[in-house]
Amino acid sequence: MKKNVFILLALLLCFSSCKSEPKTPFVPFNSLNEIPIEHKKINQTKPGKIEKITYKTKDYSDDLSEVTKSAFVYLPNNYDSSKKYPVLYLLHGVGGTEAEWQMTNNNSLVKKMMDNLIEENLIEPFIIVTPNGRSSKNFKDISFENHQTFYQFGKELRNDLIPFVESKYSVYSERENRAVAGLSMGGMQTINIGLCECLDLFSYFGAFSAAPTSYDYNRITRELNKFEPMPINYFYNICGLQDGIALSSAKNAAKILPAFDKRFEINKNFMWHEVTGNHDFNVWFLGFYNFARISFGK
C-alpha cells in the first residue's frame, strides 16, 4: 500500500514540475523612447535582409486590367526554405507607397527591430511584406483623390498577393500564422478589410492610428457575424492622444468594441493603447514594435 502511495506522489510531483509555464503577458512600451536602444541599432551579427518583389494583380477598382506591382519583403537571418515562417502584411497610409515603412535597406528601423528581437529570442522569426495598398492601375497616384482604391485591396490580397508570397517564400498558409497591420489608412484596411472581409485569412490584427473611415464597433460586429466562428488571436490598437486626425474615430472603431462583442476580451486578445503622440511615425514605429512582440512573441 505504502509503495502505491509513493508512486502516486511521485507521479503528481512530476506532473506539476513538467507543466509548461503560462506565457507572460507582454506589457507594451508607451513611447518610442522607451523601446530599448539596442533595437534601434543595426545588428551586425545576425542581420536579416530585404528584397523587392514584383507580382501580377488586377485593377480591382475599375476594369480588372492586369497590373504589375512591387512590394518589399523582410526575410529573417538565415532564412531557410525548408522551414515555415509566419508572415505579416504591413500596410501604409493614404499618402504613402510600399516604401512608406522605410523597409527598403539596412537602415530600416523595422529591419533593425526585427533583427534584434529575433536574436534576443523575444519573437519567432517571421516574414514581413509591405505592398502598395491601392488596387488600381493608377497605384502610383498618391493624391488623396485616389484614396477610394484602398477599399478594393482585399481582393488583391486574397487573389494575388498572398498566393504569390506563398509561391515564392516558405510561409505558413494557415490564418493562425498570418497577420495584417497598418498605419492610418493601412489601419483602416486592417479593420475594414483584414478583420471584416478576410477573417478567414488572418488571425492577428494591428491598427495604428486607424483612419477616420474605419468601421465603427457596430459595423465591425455586423461584419464579423457573417463569418463562421473563428478565433481572433489578437487585435491591437494604438493611437496618440494628440492625434487630431484619428483619435476620435479610432476610439469609436475599437476602444469600446469589447463591451459590445464577446469575441474581444481586454488583456486576452484585445488591447486599446493610448500614448502621448500625434499622427506620425513616433506612434507607428512603436505600434509595430509592440505588435511584433504581441503577435509572434515568445
Side-chain angles (χ1 to χ4, degrees):
M1 182 65 180
K2 288 184 178 180
K3 183 178 179 181
N4 290 337
V5 170
F6 285 135
I7 291 173
L8 179 60
L9 287 172
L11 288 172
L12 289 172
L13 287 171
C14 179
F15 175 75
S16 61
S17 63
C18 293
K19 285 192 298 182
S20 59
E21 291 296 319
K23 183 178 176 181
T24 302
F26 171 63
V27 178
F29 286 93
N30 286 320
S31 73
L32 186 65
N33 291 331
E34 292 185 23
I35 295 175
I37 193 66
E38 61 269 20
H39 293 300
K40 302 178 190 178
K41 296 179 179 178
I42 294 176
N43 187 319
Q44 301 288 357
T45 58
K46 294 184 178 179
K49 66 177 181 178
I50 292 173
E51 297 182 346
K52 189 174 185 179
I53 60 171
T54 58
Y55 62 98
K56 300 291 185 182
T57 182
K58 292 181 174 62
D59 183 345
Y60 289 105
S61 299
D62 189 11
D63 59 4
L64 297 180
S65 57
E66 187 174 276
V67 180
T68 300
K69 293 177 69 176
S70 299
F72 290 97
V73 176
Y74 167 83
L75 298 175
N77 176 258
N78 290 331
Y79 166 76
D80 183 349
S81 61
S82 68
K83 300 177 181 178
K84 294 287 186 181
Y85 295 84
V87 60
L88 162 65
Y89 292 85
L90 187 61
L91 310 177
H92 62 83
V94 68
T97 68
E98 64 271 22
E100 185 174 23
W101 277 99
Q102 305 163 35
M103 203 180 75
T104 59
N105 56 53
N106 286 339
N107 288 320
S108 162
L109 182 53
V110 168
K111 180 183 181 300
K112 293 174 188 177
M113 288 189 279
M114 287 295 296
D115 288 348
N116 292 316
L117 285 168
I118 291 170
E119 183 172 6
E120 293 189 10
N121 203 34
L122 293 172
I123 62 172
E124 299 286 345
F126 64 89
I127 289 171
I128 302 174
V129 181
T130 58
N132 186 306
R134 300 174 187 84
S135 288
S136 164
K137 67 173 77 67
N138 300 318
F139 65 89
K140 292 183 180 180
D141 176 6
I142 64 171
S143 66
F144 183 77
E145 286 71 21
N146 198 32
H147 80 279
Q148 290 296 332
T149 60
F150 280 88
Y151 300 97
Q152 304 302 319
F153 187 64
K155 300 180 182 70
E156 181 175 324
L157 265 175
R158 183 181 296 276
N159 299 330
D160 307 310
L161 180 55
I162 290 176
F164 177 83
V165 170
E166 292 184 350
S167 70
K168 184 173 177 62
Y169 299 105
S170 183
V171 297
Y172 289 107
S173 59
E174 299 82 11
R175 63 181 294 274
E176 288 74 19
N177 292 288
R178 197 184 288 134
V180 60
L183 66 88
S184 193
M185 189 64 83
M188 176 283 293
Q189 290 178 312
T190 296
I191 295 172
N192 294 19
I193 293 173
L195 189 62
C196 295
E197 290 181 20
C198 301
L199 186 64
D200 58 319
L201 300 179
F202 300 98
S203 65
Y204 292 97
F205 307 88
F208 316 149
S209 311
T213 53
S214 302
Y215 293 157
D216 66 14
Y217 65 94
N218 273 318
R219 178 72 183 272
I220 293 171
T221 295
R222 290 200 306 271
E223 296 298 327
L224 288 176
N225 285 338
K226 296 177 182 178
F227 288 91
E228 293 295 323
M230 295 181 189
I232 296 169
N233 284 341
Y234 218 99
F235 183 23
Y236 171 74
N237 298 267
I238 188 171
C239 198
L241 288 167
Q242 290 71 42
D243 188 337
I245 296 173
L247 181 60
S248 177
S249 56
K251 282 183 176 180
N252 200 36
K255 186 174 183 178
I256 58 178
L257 188 57
F260 296 90
D261 195 317
K262 293 181 180 180
R263 280 166 286 222
F264 302 96
E265 297 184 50
I266 296 172
N267 296 326
K268 184 176 180 181
N269 72 338
F270 176 89
M271 185 183 299
W272 168 261
H273 190 194
E274 293 178 355
V275 296
T276 300
N278 296 292
H279 199 73
D280 58 33
F281 268 102
N282 286 322
V283 172
W284 303 331
F285 280 133
L286 173 65
F288 169 80
Y289 180 86
N290 287 331
F291 187 65
R293 296 285 306 273
I294 288 169
S295 55
F296 300 122
K298 292 187 176 181

